[in-house]
Amino acid sequence: MSSYVLHFGALRNIYRLIGYNGNQEWFDKYASHQRWAALQLSNAARLRDAFERLGRSATLNASTECLRIDNVVNVVFRVARCRNYENRPLRWTLQYRVRWPKGWVVAVRLDEKNEAIFDYVLMPSAWLTFSRRMFWFSKEVYKGRTINRFDTFEALSRFLIECVGKEKPS
């Protein structure tokens, strides 16, 4: 596979070159997911830089989408896709990760069409329970829970820096 990609580019391009046009919807969804995942990694890098400017240690593991602060606090960045079913309130899903570190989850919630950012939510990872490899949540489900909602990533960053960055660990 890596040889094909090296010579011909992405898998989608290989299929295009041989004239295969099937399941373009899957490729479109995959490209969209890649774009949102890249945005979240960019957000994680911005937060890492903010902690480092405060003199804190922050390392970003791109493969797990996890920012580790002072070797103590984990902040995982995920994309929450919107699921809109008839006669039901909007719900969002997070995909299950085999290695979900304890700490915080920053989820960028997408709008009803999964084309734009709706908002950002912050929740403790210990609160997540998965059914069929998905965690489902909505406004109704997390009322009264320890989940914080933010309109911008900047507001979420300020909140995290305040919560995590109050005291420098000894």
Side-chain angles (χ1 to χ4, degrees):
M1 180 66 180
S2 60
S3 181
Y4 282 109
V5 171
L6 177 67
H7 292 294
F8 302 107
L11 184 60
R12 186 177 199 168
N13 191 46
I14 294 169
Y15 282 135
R16 184 188 59 78
L17 289 171
I18 63 170
Y20 177 74
N21 294 324
N23 207 350
Q24 290 299 313
E25 184 180 335
W26 182 89
F27 283 116
D28 293 341
K29 283 183 180 179
Y30 181 73
S32 173
H33 172 77
Q34 293 295 94
R35 183 177 47 128
W36 292 118
L39 170 84
Q40 278 292 67
L41 284 176
S42 170
N43 286 340
R46 289 170 48 201
L47 189 59
R48 177 200 60 210
D49 295 345
F51 274 105
E52 288 177 346
R53 281 192 298 275
L54 294 171
R56 307 295 291 269
S57 167
T59 54
L60 175 61
N61 183 332
S63 66
T64 60
E65 300 169 333
C66 182
L67 178 65
R68 187 156 173 84
I69 304 160
D70 296 326
N71 265 345
V72 176
V73 178
N74 295 308
V75 182
V76 176
F77 292 81
R78 302 297 292 151
V79 176
R81 297 184 61 80
C82 183
R83 308 294 183 175
N84 190 1
Y85 296 107
E86 194 173 323
N87 298 324
R88 286 188 159 184
L90 292 179
R91 297 190 313 169
W92 286 267
T93 59
L94 292 175
Q95 295 229 336
Y96 174 74
R97 295 289 305 241
V98 173
R99 294 185 183 150
W100 200 282
K102 298 216 183 305
W104 296 95
V105 175
V106 172
V108 58
R109 289 195 309 174
L110 302 181
D111 67 3
E112 291 182 41
K113 295 181 181 180
N114 292 310
E115 294 175 350
I117 295 172
F118 180 69
D119 65 3
Y120 294 86
V121 294
L122 178 68
M123 61 189 104
S125 62
W127 186 73
L128 278 62
T129 56
F130 289 87
S131 171
R132 297 185 185 165
R133 307 197 46 82
M134 296 275 186
F135 172 71
W136 294 80
F137 65 104
S138 67
K139 292 177 185 175
E140 290 73 23
V141 170
Y142 67 76
K143 282 184 181 174
R145 301 279 186 166
T146 311
I147 294 179
N148 298 289
R149 183 194 161 285
F150 304 90
D151 289 324
T152 65
F153 184 75
E154 290 74 20
L156 175 124
S157 296
R158 284 191 301 273
F159 181 83
L160 269 173
I161 288 169
E162 186 178 312
C163 286
V164 175
K166 285 183 181 176
E167 297 180 23
K168 191 169 184 170
S170 55

